[in-house]
Amino acid sequence: MDGLKFTLGNARHDLLRDSGDWDKFSRFWEDLPRDPCMGDGGTYRRRKHSVISYNVADGTVASVDQDGFLQSKEINRLNGGIVRRFEPVDQALLDTAVFRLLLAQFVPRIAEIAPAGEPSAPVRRINIHQHRIVATEREAGKPTPEGIHRDGVEHIVMMLIARKDVTGGVSTLYDNTESPVLTHTLSDPGDYIFLDDRTGLHSVSPVRVAPGAVEGYRDMFFLEFC
């Protein structure tokens, strides 16, 4: 597979015309529990995680039973090799109009860009991650504490929900030789990177509290298509 494959966009501009729907969706980031599985001992990450199946034909969403989240050490040098367990994403989030629109937007795009002759999966397995990375005067927040990495899936949507009182959080995409291809800051709610995870790697620089603030955060939503 030749070359890094990605697109940039803003879901609010592309899909959403009712800001009330987005406001309802973004409130699900206000109660994320602290990630208890940080190999560096950091207290800066809050998160929830679930796995769903998505029926392409009729848009049906179903939760998939899971016994934790496991990545290999090759994929995640910091937290790989152990089963990590997180609180599930709220069902109410999965029922929002915004979430359903996101699935309806990105799943067909995967089919459209598939190589000729590659069959389109009728049911997609999707990892869902909600992250809040917190920065304080005592501790910077690390969106990718494992460093330059790939997620080990097919495609990823990395979407900004909000950022407040922080600096940094700059995304870099690399080809498979770890040569930088793009440096980009997700700055407006709804900004996203849609990445073919098989064609490259990515990282994000730390977020630090903005001058004059005591605490800040960067909220992200990830869809990993398996």
Side-chain angles (χ1 to χ4, degrees), residues 112-174:
E112 289 170 3
I113 61 179
E118 182 176 298
S120 179
V123 177
R124 285 279 173 182
R125 181 183 172 100
I126 305 170
N127 292 323
I128 302 169
H129 303 268
Q130 291 176 268
H131 285 193
R132 167 169 286 188
I133 301 297
V134 177
T136 67
E137 295 174 306
R138 300 181 308 277
E139 183 181 40
K142 301 175 185 176
T144 55
E146 64 270 47
I148 299 172
H149 70 286
R150 72 174 82 249
D151 286 7
V153 294
E154 183 182 299
H155 290 83
I156 317 165
V157 177
M158 300 177 276
M159 180 177 297
L160 180 73
I161 302 301
R163 55 182 291 154
K164 180 180 179 182
D165 293 335
V166 292
T167 62
V170 179
S171 299
T172 302
L173 304 183
Y174 309 82

Side-chain angles (χ1 to χ4, degrees), residues 87-130:
E87 288 190 23
V89 173
D90 293 350
Q91 179 61 44
L93 182 152
L94 304 181
D95 292 335
T96 61
V98 171
F99 179 68
R100 298 308 176 101
L101 282 168
L102 292 176
L103 293 180
Q105 163 82 350
F106 287 105
V107 172
R109 288 174 63 176
I110 292 173
E112 289 170 3
I113 61 179
E118 182 176 298
S120 179
V123 177
R124 285 279 173 182
R125 181 183 172 100
I126 305 170
N127 292 323
I128 302 169
H129 303 268
Q130 291 176 268

Side-chain angles (χ1 to χ4, degrees), residues 46-114:
R46 316 284 192 265
R47 75 183 299 173
K48 289 185 177 181
H49 165 257
S50 287
V51 181
I52 65 165
S53 67
Y54 177 72
N55 188 304
V56 177
D58 61 13
T60 302
V61 171
S63 295
V64 174
D65 290 337
Q66 55 183 319
D67 186 23
F69 178 58
L70 176 64
Q71 292 178 303
S72 69
K73 272 288 188 182
E74 290 74 22
I75 293 294
N76 190 327
R77 289 169 285 190
L78 177 67
N79 295 317
I82 62 170
V83 176
R84 293 179 284 164
R85 293 179 172 85
F86 307 109
E87 288 190 23
V89 173
D90 293 350
Q91 179 61 44
L93 182 152
L94 304 181
D95 292 335
T96 61
V98 171
F99 179 68
R100 298 308 176 101
L101 282 168
L102 292 176
L103 293 180
Q105 163 82 350
F106 287 105
V107 172
R109 288 174 63 176
I110 292 173
E112 289 170 3
I113 61 179

Side-chain angles (χ1 to χ4, degrees), residues 148-215:
I148 299 172
H149 70 286
R150 72 174 82 249
D151 286 7
V153 294
E154 183 182 299
H155 290 83
I156 317 165
V157 177
M158 300 177 276
M159 180 177 297
L160 180 73
I161 302 301
R163 55 182 291 154
K164 180 180 179 182
D165 293 335
V166 292
T167 62
V170 179
S171 299
T172 302
L173 304 183
Y174 309 82
D175 65 19
N176 281 324
T177 69
E178 296 194 11
S179 296
V181 174
L182 175 78
T183 298
H184 180 70
T185 301
L186 300 173
S187 56
D188 295 327
D191 282 351
Y192 66 80
I193 300 171
F194 180 45
L195 173 67
D196 186 330
D197 188 54
R198 302 163 296 184
T199 67
L201 305 100
H202 58 279
S203 69
V204 184
S205 67
V207 295
R208 304 185 188 280
V209 67
V214 176
E215 182 175 294

